[in-house]
């Protein structure tokens, strides 16, 4: 299963379908074949692994897969049926599929006489797919709010300068995470003040492959010469009055994750609406002072109303700290059909 989880990471992190890996073992536990899902419309991990075997070679084997084999027809057929027809004798998976439309593969396999073992390294699989499963459960893109700040919590100096509070290691990490996102969001205040490109770049400064969509929240006009207008995918602007509605529209466009780069108005609006799934902070050992904070008013009048978070990780990147925190609970929302 550890190998299957490694293979899953080769797939796109924020496609409409989840990252899934699969390994086919012979009766002695030797690996015969490996596979992973490469995105919507391509073979699912199990089918990818089966396709690498000769006809009849899968009979009597064990399939180890990170997610319960699907049980529906989307862009491709059900993986549960493919495994049954190939003659696989045993299926081991890490976690059940949270998507009601695609779930049910385990039951179908058992009904066909296939031995099924579940919940193997389930915690690791759940963390790998945390963002995707959260998006499926809530029926909207997974929202990460990112900022870099000084030790005293400031994101810019009094004159507005903010480049660079954090060091090169933190900035490289940001671009890796940008590249994995479905969309990068900034408010019009940030666009007017900083003129960001809202692109993802590699360590050499070149554009990364598969750029996320650039999205601007706010009612002010984006200048004709703004850098975001040169984005390779163009940009989309929403007025910012209905964050939940804007996320719904992005979901309909196939966006499964949103990486919010600022500013404080957008970050606060999403936080007040309970629409932030993850907070990503890069904390630099520098003091700035002044009023420039990462969030506008959150509507918290007393400490008892503060939004409580769970620390997921604290890591050192060069001279900075990277802190990842998530709300202690999410409001449930409708699941959506995202397998295919």
């Amino acid at each position: 299963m550890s190998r299957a989880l490694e293979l899953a990471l080769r797939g796109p992190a924020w496609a409409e379908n989840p990252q899934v890996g699969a390994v086919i073992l012979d009766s002695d536990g030797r690996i015969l074949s490996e596979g992973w899902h490469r995105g919507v419309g391509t073979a699912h991990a199990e089918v990818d692994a089966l396709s690498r075997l000769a006809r009849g070679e899968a009979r009597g084997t064990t399939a180890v897969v990170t997610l319960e084999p699907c049980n529906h027809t989307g862009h491709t057929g059900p993986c549960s049926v493919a495994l049954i027809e190939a003659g696989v004798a045993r299926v081991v998976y890490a976690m059940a599929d949270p998507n009601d439309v695609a779930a049910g593969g385990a039951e179908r396999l058992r009904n066909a006489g296939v031995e099924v073992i579940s919940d193997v390294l389930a915690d690791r699989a759940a963390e790998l797919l945390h963002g995707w499963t959260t998006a499926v459960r809530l029926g909207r893109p997974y929202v990460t709010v990112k900022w870099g700040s000084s030790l005293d919590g400031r994101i810019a100096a009094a004159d507005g300068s903010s480049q660079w509070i954090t060091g090169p290691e933190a900035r490289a990490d940001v671009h890796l995470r940008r590249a994995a996102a479905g969309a990068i969001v900034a408010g019009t205040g940030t666009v007017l003040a900083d003129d960001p490109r809202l692109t993802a770049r590699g360590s050499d400064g070149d554009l990364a492959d598969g750029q996320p969509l650039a999205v601007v929240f706010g009612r002010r006009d984006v200048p004709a010469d703004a850098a975001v207008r040169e984005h390779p995918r163009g940009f989309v602007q929403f007025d910012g009055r209905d964050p939940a509605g804007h996320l719904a529209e992005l979901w309909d466009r196939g966006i499964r994750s949103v990486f919010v780069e600022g500013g404080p108005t957008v970050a606060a609006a999403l936080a007040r609406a309970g629409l932030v799934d993850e907070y990503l902070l890069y904390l630099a050992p520098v003091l700035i002072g002044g009023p420039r904070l990462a969030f506008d008013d959150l509507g918290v009048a007393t400490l008892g109303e503060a939004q409580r978070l769970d620390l997921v990780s604290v890591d050192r990147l060069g001279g900075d700290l990277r802190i990842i925190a998530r709300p202690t609970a999410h409001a449930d929302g409708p699941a959506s059909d995202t397998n295919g």
Side-chain angles (χ1 to χ4, degrees), residues 41-299:
T42 66
H44 288 192
E46 303 94 316
V47 174
D48 184 44
L50 290 171
S51 71
R52 301 172 192 276
L53 298 176
R55 188 179 186 87
E57 193 178 0
R59 188 162 301 280
T61 60
T62 296
V64 180
V65 61
T66 56
L67 187 68
E68 176 189 6
C70 68
N71 194 41
H72 88 302
T73 299
H75 293 285
T76 61
C79 292
S80 54
V81 172
L83 291 165
I84 293 166
E85 292 179 346
V88 171
R90 180 185 300 107
V91 172
V92 180
Y93 67 86
M95 62 176 288
D97 196 320
N99 185 348
D100 291 340
V101 175
E107 181 179 4
R108 189 168 195 166
L109 288 163
R110 290 191 182 98
N111 290 340
V114 178
E115 181 185 358
V116 177
I117 301 172
S118 62
D119 299 322
V120 176
L121 298 187
D123 289 347
R124 285 181 57 184
E127 180 57 30
L128 169 68
L129 294 178
H130 168 77
W132 182 83
T133 56
T134 300
V136 169
R137 178 169 60 85
L138 299 176
R140 61 159 176 78
Y142 188 87
V143 176
T144 297
V145 170
K146 165 263 170 184
W147 71 100
S149 84
S150 62
L151 200 60
D152 57 345
R154 272 57 182 182
I155 62 170
D159 65 354
S161 58
S162 61
Q163 298 180 341
W164 300 99
I165 292 176
T166 57
E169 294 87 353
R171 297 198 296 274
D173 189 70
V174 168
H175 276 279
L176 286 174
R177 292 170 183 272
R178 281 186 174 194
I184 300 176
V185 173
T188 49
T190 296
V191 170
L192 294 171
D194 298 337
D195 196 24
R197 294 181 177 89
L198 300 186
T199 54
R201 296 180 178 272
S203 57
D204 56 5
D206 290 340
L207 288 173
D209 295 333
Q211 286 290 313
L213 180 68
V215 179
V216 177
F217 278 17
R219 284 166 280 176
R220 286 180 285 181
D221 291 336
V222 175
D225 60 350
V228 72
R229 290 190 178 275
E230 301 301 319
H231 193 282
R233 289 184 64 183
F235 80 102
V236 177
Q237 184 171 6
F238 299 107
D239 64 19
R241 298 180 186 182
D242 179 15
H246 304 333
L247 291 176
E249 184 167 338
L250 291 173
W251 176 273
D252 290 341
R253 290 171 176 256
I255 302 298
R256 296 296 177 260
S257 70
V258 166
F259 193 81
V260 181
E261 282 279 2
T265 301
V266 172
L270 291 166
R272 285 196 305 270
L275 296 172
V276 180
D277 304 297
E278 187 169 276
Y279 294 92
L280 175 62
L281 165 62
Y282 297 89
L283 190 62
V286 61
L287 300 176
I288 296 175
R292 295 183 178 268
L293 301 172
F295 290 80
D296 282 346
D297 182 24
L298 291 175

Side-chain angles (χ1 to χ4, degrees), residues 300-308:
V300 174
T302 179
L303 189 58
E305 298 173 353
Q307 295 190 24
R308 299 293 178 178

